[in-house]
Amino acid sequence: MTNQHAKVTILDIAQRANVSPSTVSRALRGSAAVSDDKQKAILDAVDELNYRPNIFAQGLASGQSMTIGVLTQNFGSPFYDGILQGILDGLDQTNYWPLFVDGRWQSALEERALNMLLDRQVDGLIVVGGQTSGETVQAFAQKTPLIVAARKLDNLPGRCIYVNNFEAAYKATKHLIDRGHRDIAHITAPMDYATAVNDIQERKRGYKQALTDVGIEPDPRLIVDGNLRQQSGVLAVEMLLGRGRPFSAIFAANDQMAFGARLALYRRGIRVPDDVSLVGFDDESSAAYTIPPLTTVKQPALELGLAAAKAILALINNHTPTIPVFDAELTIRESVARHR
Amino acid sequence: MTNQHAKVTILDIAQRANVSPSTVSRALRGSAAVSDDKQKAILDAVDELNYRPNIFAQGLASGQSMTIGVLTQNFGSPFYDGILQGILDGLDQTNYWPLFVDGRWQSALEERALNMLLDRQVDGLIVVGGQTSGETVQAFAQKTPLIVAARKLDNLPGRCIYVNNFEAAYKATKHLIDRGHRDIAHITAPMDYATAVNDIQERKRGYKQALTDVGIEPDPRLIVDGNLRQQSGVLAVEMLLGRGRPFSAIFAANDQMAFGARLALYRRGIRVPDDVSLVGFDDESSAAYTIPPLTTVKQPALELGLAAAKAILALINNHTPTIPVFDAELTIRESVARHR
DNA sequence: CTGTTAGCGCATTCAG
DNA sequence: CTGAATGCGCTAACAG
């Protein structure tokens, strides 16, 4: 091909620098000391000839690929994208490169992707979210260093980096309670729904606990299932309204559904926050620009990704990874009013 | 089972199937006919031993990596993510895998990323957006098959797949005109702003042309610069209002700024669409759930990505790629009212 | 149709 | 500190 690029080999620069190929290899990767003059000659030759090592050959010979496989879900989700950015940042000053694949929240695809990553000889794996079973993930963890981000897997202790969703939801609900609300509805997603199930269940648990702790019995009529998408927020509110059980606030398990809920309320002529207060979860970028701006929970996505990157690097170097505990912050905006 | 994975080689399965390694290779990659019985024996051995080829070895020996490098910008932008999905889809049934890297809209990073992709022996390159100079991109195009998506580069004719932003903006503006508006403001971004410059300028051109075509002279007082982010939409409206030039509609060059504009109007007590109609660009998912739902331009991101994938595959196989022309559609929602 | 023979480009022993 | 030799796992001519 026209790949002049790939044509310069370690042999070419060995000749040019009057040394053996092995010395070039040593000089370039610093695997052993090389005399200063040869070192210089080699480096000169390298950029005169514009040499770039062939990663495949390196990988084949060394058994390392210097790449970290990252299984993610749905490019485009703000939370997951934040994590990707964090991983990017965490790997930035290292020699490792991330290889991203999208599992699309389908366990079959996820497994295929994971295998493909292994085929590509990745040195480590970061699994971001997803719904592959814990057992499957564990099986992969046995084959290669693996860190799970944004998800808690009980069978992989010390390998999962996640946000305390329970605490976060507790805080959000508590905020509503503190503002005088007692009839607080919750839009969640069913246990068997194929997405981020644990997180969502944790949020529901936090919601209930916050109520219980102030002596309010959670009312099943105030809890309604959605599917995490905007449209389901619309339906959830319709359903809630249909049940006839009055409420003065809604806590939605994610912003998407909160947006949908907001629209449904608007269409019914119910004012936010005058008639009903609204709280979301995720702090999507548009949350600050809805009308009124949405009170929501901000997860430290970037930090989470960063920590995942650090952890996988540690694992690769046979250190014990540090698994920080992350708490989410409530971002208070105008969608919540004091209950009168 | 630990790392047994990487240990099974083509030789193992050759022995197990009583054939030579080359026959195994041929059978597996279909590079030549193999008798049915051997074929079967090989396939059996493959999954009995759970064999998976070593991609590095394949790449080294064949000179092909079966990966397509994709340089993208900002994971998280809905438009760009749509393109990534399209590329994913386009590559789905092939043996190629995309390798994504994020240029973050910084030409230095973009170039580094492009080189890294070349180092990884990618068989082709898809450059999505970005602000690397046309010359630089052309230089890479000389080294490897390359397709540009979501951007028009004059020095790479027949290699760029993009949406006709001029037409789209024209349509959007025309819609407002047809609804009786004559004083239409436009929120854009300055020429030198480091992002998607051409697209935004094309949108401004479409806006002006639509006005001119019905005999309205574009008024510079109605055109204001933002930076494509939500916050700048807020500021843009403040500025517009400060200028004292009345207007009954706003066309924002992207949804983000439209969201900001909507919020600023709301805070001033200006109703949408009763007092001012609003149109955005991009059809971000939340556009349908703002209050009121936003009329906006939907770019065929998925189709664009798909076309890019097809085109790069064609290029790799030495065919002339088909470069379709894409038009964006106006999605009409309640944020536009007839002017009274 | 199939086995044999050479490398692909590099890292890594092993001797000096 | 350095060169020569060997092999990573696979594909691609080359002969049958």
Side-chain angles (χ1 to χ4, degrees):
Chain A
M1 268 272 158
T2 34
N3 244 336
Q4 196 77 15
H5 192 81
K7 276 300 174 198
V8 182
T9 83
I10 205 171
L11 218 120
D12 295 318
I13 89 119
Q15 287 179 251
R16 200 120 166 28
N18 273 322
V19 294
S20 74
S22 19
T23 303
V24 176
S25 173
R26 284 189 275 254
L28 259 32
R29 72 178 357 231
S31 52
V34 171
S35 70
D36 283 356
D37 50 337
K38 306 212 169 188
Q39 175 88 29
K40 186 180 178 316
I42 289 170
L43 257 32
D44 285 351
V46 161
D47 54 44
E48 275 166 36
L49 268 50
N50 196 9
Y51 167 76
R52 319 211 101 222
N54 180 320
I55 306 239
F56 283 5
Q58 282 186 172
L60 189 55
S62 73
Q64 289 206 308
S65 65
M66 303 311 283
T67 88
I68 307 289
V70 181
L71 173 66
T72 179
Q73 313 297 334
N74 286 11
F75 290 136
S77 147
F79 177 52
Y80 288 100
D81 285 322
I83 296 176
L84 297 199
Q85 286 293 350
I87 293 175
L88 243 20
D89 289 347
L91 259 30
D92 198 34
Q93 291 306 322
T94 73
N95 285 317
Y96 287 90
W97 273 91
L99 205 178
F100 294 108
V101 298
D102 185 353
R104 304 196 190 186
W105 290 114
Q106 297 173 39
S107 58
L109 286 186
E110 287 177 36
E111 217 174 312
R112 225 185 63 172
L114 247 18
N115 275 317
M116 168 270 179
L117 251 15
L118 247 37
D119 288 350
R120 294 244 184 265
Q121 317 294 121
V122 294
D123 296 329
L125 235 31
I126 300 179
V127 176
V128 184
Q131 61 151 344
T132 322
S133 73
E135 292 72 45
T136 307
V137 177
Q138 196 176 28
F140 280 98
Q142 230 128 352
K143 297 182 189 171
T144 189
L146 184 151
I147 288 289
V148 177
R151 191 177 171 196
K152 182 170 184 265
L153 253 29
D154 291 330
N155 59 344
L156 285 172
R159 292 276 181 286
C160 301
I161 298 181
Y162 54 91
V163 171
N164 192 331
N165 278 273
F166 173 82
E167 275 301 339
Y170 189 99
K171 267 193 246 179
T173 311
K174 189 67 170 41
H175 177 66
L176 288 167
I177 294 170
D178 290 346
R179 304 279 265 164
H181 296 276
R182 295 189 62 85
D183 303 305
I184 304 171
H186 181 45
I187 307 179
T188 179
M191 188 62 147
D192 58 303
Y193 188 71
T195 318
V197 189
N198 287 326
D199 288 359
I200 303 297
Q201 297 311 312
E202 284 297 287
R203 290 175 201 173
K204 192 202 282 186
R205 227 164 49 76
Y207 155 80
K208 286 184 176 175
Q209 190 65 50
L211 291 176
T212 308
D213 282 0
V214 295
I216 302 174
E217 176 71 18
D219 184 340
R221 287 173 301 168
L222 287 180
I223 300 179
V224 55
D225 280 336
N227 67 1
L228 303 183
R229 307 188 58 98
Q230 291 166 332
Q231 178 57 28
S232 75
V234 174
L235 299 177
V237 164
E238 304 286 354
M239 203 171 305
L240 231 27
L241 258 19
R243 288 181 185 171
R245 166 71 163 85
F247 56 90
S248 68
I250 301 176
F251 167 43
N254 74 354
D255 283 353
Q256 306 265 324
M257 294 195 294
F259 295 156
R262 171 76 189 90
L263 183 61
L265 292 170
Y266 168 76
R267 293 204 159 134
R268 293 283 200 129
I270 301 170
R271 295 163 303 167
V272 174
D274 315 73
D275 302 321
V276 166
S277 289
L278 185 61
V279 174
F281 202 112
D282 278 350
D283 201 16
E284 290 203 18
S285 64
S286 43
Y289 291 88
T290 56
I291 294 171
L294 184 68
T295 292
T296 180
V297 174
K298 182 185 181 62
Q299 300 193 65
L302 222 89
E303 290 77 3
L304 218 149
L306 240 159
K310 300 294 178 211
I312 196 69
L313 292 178
L315 225 45
I316 288 174
N317 296 314
N318 287 314
H319 299 140
T320 309
T322 358
I323 305 293
V325 177
F326 287 106
D327 272 309
E329 296 291 326
L330 188 65
T331 305
I332 296 172
R333 300 207 185 89
E334 304 155 29
S335 68
V336 173
R338 175 159 292 283
H339 184 52
R340 294 159 305 191
Chain B
M1 268 296 203
T2 308
N3 264 340
Q4 194 78 14
H5 191 82
K7 277 301 175 195
V8 182
T9 82
I10 204 171
L11 220 119
D12 296 318
I13 89 119
Q15 288 180 256
R16 199 120 166 28
N18 273 322
V19 294
S20 74
S22 22
T23 303
V24 176
S25 173
R26 285 189 275 254
L28 259 32
R29 72 180 358 229
S31 52
V34 171
S35 71
D36 284 355
D37 50 337
K38 306 213 167 187
Q39 175 89 28
K40 185 181 179 316
I42 290 170
L43 258 31
D44 286 350
V46 161
D47 56 44
E48 274 165 36
L49 268 49
N50 197 8
Y51 166 76
R52 318 211 102 223
N54 180 320
I55 305 240
F56 282 4
Q58 281 186 171
L60 228 208
S62 72
Q64 288 206 309
S65 64
M66 303 311 282
T67 88
I68 305 291
V70 181
L71 172 66
T72 179
Q73 314 296 334
N74 286 12
F75 291 136
S77 145
F79 177 53
Y80 288 101
D81 285 322
I83 295 176
L84 296 199
Q85 286 293 351
I87 293 176
L88 242 22
D89 289 347
L91 258 31
D92 197 34
Q93 290 307 320
T94 73
N95 285 317
Y96 286 90
W97 272 91
L99 204 179
F100 293 108
V101 297
D102 186 352
R104 304 194 189 188
W105 289 114
Q106 297 172 37
S107 58
L109 286 186
E110 286 177 36
E111 218 173 311
R112 225 186 61 172
L114 248 18
N115 275 317
M116 168 272 178
L117 251 15
L118 248 37
D119 287 350
R120 290 271 195 270
Q121 318 294 122
V122 294
D123 296 329
L125 235 31
I126 300 179
V127 176
V128 184
Q131 60 152 344
T132 322
S133 72
E135 291 73 44
T136 306
V137 176
Q138 195 176 29
F140 280 97
Q142 231 127 356
K143 298 183 190 169
T144 189
L146 186 152
I147 288 290
V148 177
R151 191 174 170 198
K152 182 170 184 264
L153 252 30
D154 291 331
N155 60 344
L156 284 172
R159 291 274 181 289
C160 301
I161 299 181
Y162 54 91
V163 171
N164 192 332
N165 278 273
F166 173 83
E167 275 301 337
Y170 189 100
K171 268 192 243 177
T173 310
K174 190 67 169 40
H175 177 65
L176 288 168
I177 293 171
D178 290 346
R179 304 279 264 165
H181 297 275
R182 296 190 60 83
D183 303 305
I184 304 170
H186 181 46
I187 308 179
T188 179
M191 187 63 147
D192 59 302
Y193 187 73
T195 318
V197 188
N198 287 326
D199 288 359
I200 304 297
Q201 297 310 313
E202 284 296 287
R203 290 173 201 174
K204 192 202 284 186
R205 228 165 49 77
Y207 156 80
K208 285 184 176 174
Q209 191 65 51
L211 291 176
T212 308
D213 283 0
V214 294
I216 302 174
E217 176 72 17
D219 184 340
R221 288 173 301 169
L222 286 180
I223 300 179
V224 55
D225 279 337
N227 67 1
L228 303 185
R229 307 187 60 98
Q230 290 166 333
Q231 178 56 27
S232 75
V234 175
L235 299 177
V237 165
E238 304 286 353
M239 201 171 304
L240 231 28
L241 257 20
R243 288 182 184 169
R245 167 70 164 86
F247 56 91
S248 69
I250 301 176
F251 167 42
N254 74 355
D255 283 352
Q256 305 266 324
M257 295 195 293
F259 294 156
R262 172 75 188 89
L263 184 60
L265 293 169
Y266 169 74
R267 294 205 158 132
R268 293 283 198 129
I270 300 170
R271 295 164 303 168
V272 174
D274 315 73
D275 302 320
V276 167
S277 288
L278 184 61
V279 174
F281 202 112
D282 276 351
D283 201 16
E284 290 202 16
S285 65
S286 43
Y289 291 88
T290 56
I291 295 172
L294 183 69
T295 292
T296 179
V297 174
K298 182 186 182 62
Q299 299 192 66
L302 222 89
E303 290 77 2
L304 217 150
L306 240 159
K310 299 293 177 212
I312 196 69
L313 292 177
L315 225 45
I316 288 174
N317 295 313
N318 288 314
H319 299 140
T320 308
T322 2
I323 305 292
V325 177
F326 286 107
D327 273 308
E329 295 292 327
L330 188 65
T331 306
I332 296 171
R333 300 207 184 91
E334 303 154 29
S335 69
V336 172
R338 175 158 294 284
H339 184 52
R340 293 159 308 190

